[in-house]
Amino acid sequence: MTATTTASPLDPTRRGVLQRRIRLVVAITIGYNVIEAGIALAAGTVASSAALVGFGLDSIVEVLSAAAIAWQFAAPDPEKREKAALRVIALSFFALAAYVSVDAALSLFGVREAEHSPVGIALAAVSLVIMPVLSWFERRTGRELGSASAIADSKQTLLCSYLSAALLAGLLLNSLLGWAWADSIAALVIAGFAVKEGLEAWRGEACPVPVSALTGERPAETGD
């Protein structure tokens, strides 16, 4: 059975605290990812690594995604910008997947071969520690606030953690065993995750409460 109810509004003071937390974690995420993107793209270009370049591009996508959330929560009524922010996040996922897939295919077909990248290995290891913490903080805040876009952005950050693990595995296999193809496989894993998360963001499935309910177009529905 399905019942129709209206979600309980947050206390204005609590809502203000949560919105400030979102802005804080977004600012930290943007700052870190700008640095990460610069290092990854430079190291990836030097090593001809599709996975490392893809990781750097994901960092740029993360910046765009976080910037969309910053834009949303800069408004007096952030919920009104919810759909637009979700669209930006989704499109950024799709763009990342397309580029990384082409780059990985070129490597698999022998157009270029990835070289060793100690810098990339170190960067992936650091990101594997930092990104889950940022994602957890934003997701927890977004759920309490009832923001689908904040949760989608937190999943973008969590995706960066998965990508860090895939990148680290690919770079280590290439460096230790000479498996250059592992770099391309890691890149395709990155693309697959990006498509999945992009589709969820586009449909507004990142949050248990439908976007239409958050924006006031219709009441939230809860299962009995």
Side-chain angles (χ1 to χ4, degrees):
M1 181 185 296
T2 300
T4 301
T5 59
T6 302
S8 300
L10 281 171
D11 175 83
T13 301
R14 181 59 179 170
R15 179 175 291 276
V17 169
L18 294 173
Q19 290 178 351
R20 285 193 294 274
R21 286 183 182 176
I22 291 290
R23 288 194 288 269
L24 174 62
V25 73
V26 163
I28 295 172
T29 300
I30 290 175
Y32 178 80
N33 277 281
V34 166
I35 297 172
E36 182 181 73
I39 296 174
L41 290 173
T45 300
V46 170
S48 297
S49 168
L52 196 47
V53 169
F55 187 73
L57 290 174
D58 175 72
S59 298
I60 294 176
V61 169
E62 175 67 16
V63 170
L64 293 175
S65 177
I69 301 303
W71 167 77
Q72 179 192 350
F73 282 90
D77 188 4
E79 286 80 3
K80 290 184 177 180
R81 294 182 173 181
E82 186 91 33
K83 280 188 176 180
L86 282 169
R87 291 295 188 261
V88 170
I89 293 170
L91 290 174
S92 65
F93 273 123
F94 297 147
L96 167 66
Y99 183 91
V100 170
S101 296
V102 171
D103 207 30
L106 291 175
S107 296
L108 282 173
F109 287 116
V111 176
R112 56 176 172 270
E113 184 172 309
E115 300 175 3
H116 307 315
S117 180
V119 173
I121 291 173
L123 179 65
V126 171
S127 294
L128 194 55
V129 173
I130 293 176
M131 287 295 124
V133 176
L134 291 175
S135 174
W136 171 83
F137 186 75
E138 184 175 14
R139 184 170 63 255
R140 179 179 178 182
T141 306
R143 286 190 183 279
E144 184 176 352
L145 192 57
S147 171
S149 58
I151 296 171
D153 186 59
S154 76
K155 294 179 77 173
Q156 165 72 279
T157 305
L158 185 60
L159 172 64
C160 190
S161 304
Y162 299 151
L163 305 192
S164 298
L167 175 66
L168 186 60
L171 294 177
L172 285 174
L173 288 172
N174 186 24
S175 293
L176 299 176
L177 302 177
W179 293 357
W181 54 265
D183 180 89
S184 297
I185 298 302
L188 291 175
V189 169
I190 290 173
F193 272 115
V195 170
K196 175 181 178 296
E197 298 301 338
L199 289 172
E200 288 189 4
W202 186 268
R203 297 167 183 159
E205 294 175 358
C207 183
V209 181
V211 176
S212 55
L214 292 173
T215 55
E217 296 171 18
R218 67 180 176 85
E221 294 181 350
T222 57
D224 232 358

